[in-house]
């Protein structure tokens, strides 16, 4: 079994956070008896820092116990650090990528990896992406934009061009939605996270990114958010509104088949529907391990598709 959506934090990255709390506010506190401490970075998105997030032996042992033979492992979105200065984001990206690449290379039969880049400084982000690829990483994991600016914006073109030249993976992983209407009862995560993916993916279609950079392997988290399940509305809009039709070369349904999707959906009916819309080869097994909202082990196998995607 494979897994294309899993997260890890090298110990040296955690040590960097501890040493730089004056620059990047963080807390690590006991909240729930019997659970590990909760890590909060910059007063956002707290999560339980389980041992499997940072202990390589514990992580690999749980992978083996679940029958996972190869994992595409990514940095955690809490440490994208796009809200900080470019020098901080770049420093953490370079440290994270170097540590992750070294670990992946030492277990290359078990692991492939993605890096993180300073999306708040696109020119530097492109250089960091190139370095990550030189280190042997398969691509990068990024958020759905920066400070409300979508990924189709011209400023991000250096990143897309570099990824396209290399045929790299770009894993779109949402951040918490800050809509004031949903700031309660875990709604920023429950519906805000898939909504962010939905907005981003449609922007990549209508903004021409998929047409201009066809070699990038764009992977969408959590089954593509809500986008695949509104393919009928998108198609109807394309049919009746020239403003939509004139911006893209094909119908929205065709563009949906250009993305790859993880299987983090928890519901067999949703998974089967997604497969019917985008094709079996475009839906890959994922877990979101070791976060609480994970599917463990993945709902899907699809080994041939994963091997083609990862080129292994």
């Amino acid at each position: 079994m494979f897994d294309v959506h899993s997260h890890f934090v090298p110990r040296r990255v955690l040590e960097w956070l501890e040493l730089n709390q004056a620059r990047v506010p963080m807390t690590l506190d006991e909240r729930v008896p019997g659970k590990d401490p909760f890590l909060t970075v910059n007063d956002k998105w707290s999560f339980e820092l389980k041992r499997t997030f940072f202990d390589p032996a514990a992580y690999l042992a749980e992978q083996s116990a679940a029958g996972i033979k190869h994992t595409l492992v990514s940095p955690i979105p809490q440490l994208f650090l796009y809200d900080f200065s470019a020098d901080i984001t770049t420093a953490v990206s370079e440290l994270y990528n170097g540590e992750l690449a070294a670990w992946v290379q030492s277990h290359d039969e078990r692991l492939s990896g993605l890096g993180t880049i300073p999306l708040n400084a696109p020119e530097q982000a492109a250089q960091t992406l190139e370095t990550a690829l030189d280190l042997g990483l398969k691509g990068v994991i990024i958020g759905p934009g920066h400070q409300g600016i979508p990924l189709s914006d011209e400023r991000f073109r250096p990143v897309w061009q570099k990824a396209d030249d290399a045929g790299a993976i770009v894993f779109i992983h949402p951040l918490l939605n800050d809509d004031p209407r949903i700031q309660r009862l875990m709604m920023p995560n429950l519906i805000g996270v898939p909504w962010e993916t939905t907005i981003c993916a449609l922007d990549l279609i209508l903004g021409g990114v998929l047409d201009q950079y066809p070699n990038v392997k764009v992977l969408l988290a959590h089954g593509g958010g809500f986008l695949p399940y509104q393919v009928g509305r998108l198609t109807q809009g394309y049919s009746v509104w020239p403003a939509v039709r004139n911006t893209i070369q094909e119908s929205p349904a065709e563009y949906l088949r250009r993305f790859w999707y993880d299987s983090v959906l928890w519901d067999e009916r949703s998974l089967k529907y997604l497969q019917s819309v985008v094709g079996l080869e475009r839906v890959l097994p994922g877990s979101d391990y070791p976060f609480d909202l994970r599917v463990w082990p993945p709902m899907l196998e699809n080994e041939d598709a994963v091997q083609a995607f990862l080129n292994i």
Side-chain angles (χ1 to χ4, degrees):
M1 180 178 290
F2 288 77
D3 187 353
V4 302
H5 184 171
S6 185
H7 300 280
F8 190 79
V9 189
R11 289 181 189 269
R12 284 196 61 203
V13 175
L14 294 176
E15 291 169 359
W16 187 97
L17 285 175
E18 291 177 2
L19 291 172
N20 289 273
Q21 293 185 51
R23 303 169 72 196
V24 179
M26 62 85 74
T27 60
L28 193 62
D29 57 285
E30 305 284 346
R31 292 190 182 181
V32 181
K35 287 198 170 189
D36 290 308
F38 278 68
L39 176 64
T40 307
V41 180
N42 202 27
D43 298 321
K44 295 180 179 180
W45 205 349
S46 300
F47 68 102
E48 183 186 2
L49 188 63
K50 303 170 187 175
R51 189 168 191 82
T52 43
F53 269 111
F54 60 87
D55 184 325
Y59 178 96
L60 290 173
E62 286 214 5
Q63 299 289 310
S64 296
I68 309 295
K69 67 180 184 181
H70 196 95
T71 302
L72 178 62
V73 61
S74 302
I76 60 172
Q78 289 88 342
L79 292 179
F80 290 166
L81 302 185
Y82 299 155
D83 294 338
F84 294 90
S85 63
D87 64 316
I88 289 176
T89 314
T90 300
V92 173
S93 295
E94 291 175 349
L95 174 62
Y96 212 137
N97 296 349
E99 292 295 305
L100 204 57
W103 183 45
V104 165
Q105 287 178 355
S106 68
H107 298 278
D108 58 357
E109 77 289 352
R110 299 280 307 276
L111 300 171
S112 296
L114 299 177
T116 179
I117 56 177
L119 204 61
N120 50 344
E123 292 285 351
Q124 179 60 51
Q127 295 177 29
T128 305
L129 167 57
E130 183 175 23
T131 301
L133 295 172
D134 290 342
L135 290 171
L137 298 174
K138 298 287 185 179
V140 291
I141 180 173
I142 64 174
H146 178 238
Q147 293 185 340
I149 301 168
L151 293 176
S152 65
D153 190 87
E154 287 290 333
R155 73 190 64 194
F156 298 120
R157 298 297 159 144
V159 174
W160 289 115
Q161 188 63 62
K162 188 69 67 175
D164 191 70
D165 291 344
I169 296 169
V170 174
F171 182 16
I172 308 295
H173 196 293
L175 302 173
L176 293 181
N177 184 285
D178 58 6
D179 187 321
R181 296 173 299 173
I182 63 170
Q183 299 308 305
R184 60 191 182 90
L185 301 176
M186 302 303 291
M187 289 172 67
N189 201 325
L190 287 170
I191 63 169
V193 161
W195 176 233
E196 289 295 321
T197 299
T198 304
I199 296 169
C200 180
L202 185 56
D203 169 68
L204 295 180
I205 294 172
L206 298 180
V209 172
L210 297 188
D211 288 324
Q212 294 177 48
Y213 306 102
N215 298 319
V216 182
K217 296 178 178 178
V218 181
L219 174 64
L220 301 179
H222 315 121
F226 303 127
L227 188 68
Y229 318 99
Q230 290 295 332
V231 63
R233 184 178 183 87
L234 301 178
T235 301
Q236 181 64 11
Y238 173 81
S239 299
V240 301
W241 289 332
V244 174
R245 188 167 57 252
N246 294 340
T247 63
I248 52 179
Q249 300 173 7
E250 299 181 274
S251 73
E254 293 302 317
Y255 284 96
L256 292 187
R257 299 185 185 101
R258 297 193 195 179
F259 293 113
W260 282 263
Y261 305 77
D262 72 23
S263 62
V264 183
L265 288 167
W266 294 274
D267 190 298
E268 289 286 351
R269 296 166 300 178
S270 298
L271 179 59
K272 290 183 184 302
Y273 175 75
L274 176 60
Q275 291 173 316
S276 73
V277 170
V278 304
L280 296 176
E281 74 283 358
R282 291 284 169 161
V283 185
L284 308 177
S287 67
D288 215 345
Y289 175 91
F291 284 107
D292 287 343
L293 285 187
R294 66 184 182 270
V295 179
W296 191 248
M299 299 171 64
L300 186 67
E301 295 200 12
N302 209 4
E303 293 194 3
D304 290 344
V306 178
Q307 289 175 319
F309 180 70
L310 295 179
N311 194 28
I312 59 174

